Structures are given as structure tokens and as C-alpha cells.
Amino acid sequence: MITRRALGLSLTAVGGLTLAGPAIARRSSIAVPITLGDRVLMDVRLNGQGPFPFAVDTGAVVSGVKQQLADRLDLRKLRDVRLNGADFPLYTLPEIIFGDTVRQENAVLFGLEGANLGADGLLAAGLLTTYDSELDFGRGEWRVHPPGGADRAGFERVESE
């Protein structure tokens, strides 16, 4: 089970999303490239190294990195956390940059031992829900709308249960 402290750390870190570059900062929405395979993948840079493909995992509460990559990059271990009944190392790093476009400062990632992800790590659901955003599979983009949702003129809401 994840502790409140670990959850708080991860949510606080996700709240630290900023734009990576002055030109991008003037836009009302930001597009980050994604690729589709067995999973939705996004390239990330960890402390300026990479890019590394990370899979978007909408069921994850905390983002994760393969243990082998965490060791190779010499990520700083913060402490161990308990997730779903197992203990994992929790790493802290000054920044993650998504698609060379969006920066997350003071990020945390848990270490994944022997995981078969089809990627070097996982990106937690908070990445998609902290700000209004959307995955556009046709254009291969994750679009973030910091000032609010995208213009939906011409769309009609379909009621559902």
C-alpha cells in the first residue's frame, strides 16, 4: 500500500510541471510527441540524460523507472515505499523533461525490478490529470492546456451512465 507521504510527494512533484522554453511558454496549449505501440510511449529526459521511452500508465499513482536505468543514471534514493504490498526504492531527481517540451521539477520515481514494460519506465495518471490535457492518437500528441480545456466548439456532449 502506498503511504500518504509517498502519494503526497508524487502529487506535489506532478504539480511542478512547467514549460521547457520561453517560446512554448507563450502558447495556450503545448503538444508533446507520443508514439503508439503496445502502449502509449513518451520520450523523457531524466536529469538531462536520455531520451528514454516511458509508457503512460493511467492506473499508476506514482511514476516508475526500471531499476537497471535508475542504477545506470545513479539516481538518488530517497527511501523505500510500499506499493501494492511490496517494497520499492523511491528516487528523487531534480527534473524530468517530457518530449523536450514540459519540465517536471523535484520529481520522484519508484524503482521497478525486472519489469517487462516495453519501456524504460511508467508515467503515472497524474501526468494526464494535473492540467487539462488530451491524448491525440491521430496526431501522435499529448496536448496540455494550462489555462484550461481545449475549445470544443462544434462538439456535442453524448450522455452516458
Side-chain angles (χ1 to χ4, degrees):
M1 186 106 201
I2 188 167
T3 66
R4 275 188 262 173
R5 181 182 170 105
L7 178 59
L9 283 171
S10 66
L11 295 179
T12 300
V14 170
L17 291 177
T18 58
L19 307 178
I24 295 168
R26 290 187 291 272
R27 295 185 189 167
S28 58
S29 38
I30 303 102
V32 178
I34 59 171
T35 55
L36 298 176
D38 291 338
R39 305 188 78 169
V40 176
L41 300 174
M42 186 182 310
D43 282 342
V44 302
R45 293 186 185 277
L46 305 175
N47 293 340
Q49 298 184 59
F52 306 104
F54 272 48
V56 175
D57 186 346
T58 58
V61 177
V62 180
S63 294
V65 61
K66 279 189 174 178
Q67 188 61 54
Q68 181 181 8
L69 180 58
D71 293 341
R72 190 173 95 212
L73 298 178
D74 197 27
L75 297 183
R76 188 172 75 83
K77 182 178 172 182
L78 184 61
R79 63 188 181 89
D80 288 319
V81 294
R82 193 157 194 69
L83 300 168
N84 296 326
D87 292 325
F88 296 91
L90 186 68
Y91 298 99
T92 181
L93 54 161
E95 73 174 11
I96 298 176
I97 298 178
F98 306 95
D100 291 328
T101 307
V102 176
R103 176 182 296 112
Q104 177 183 351
E105 296 177 335
N106 303 314
V108 293
L109 301 169
F110 73 96
L112 296 157
E113 188 68 54
N116 184 13
L117 309 171
D120 288 326
L122 297 174
L123 299 173
L127 181 71
L128 302 176
T129 60
T130 298
Y131 294 103
D132 288 331
S133 71
E134 57 198 346
L135 292 171
D136 185 333
F137 300 123
R139 290 189 178 161
E141 296 176 340
W142 166 51
R143 282 194 299 274
V144 183
H145 308 285
D151 179 14
R152 300 287 187 220
F155 284 79
E156 183 178 326
R157 180 179 176 89
V158 175
E159 296 300 325
S160 69
E161 293 179 33

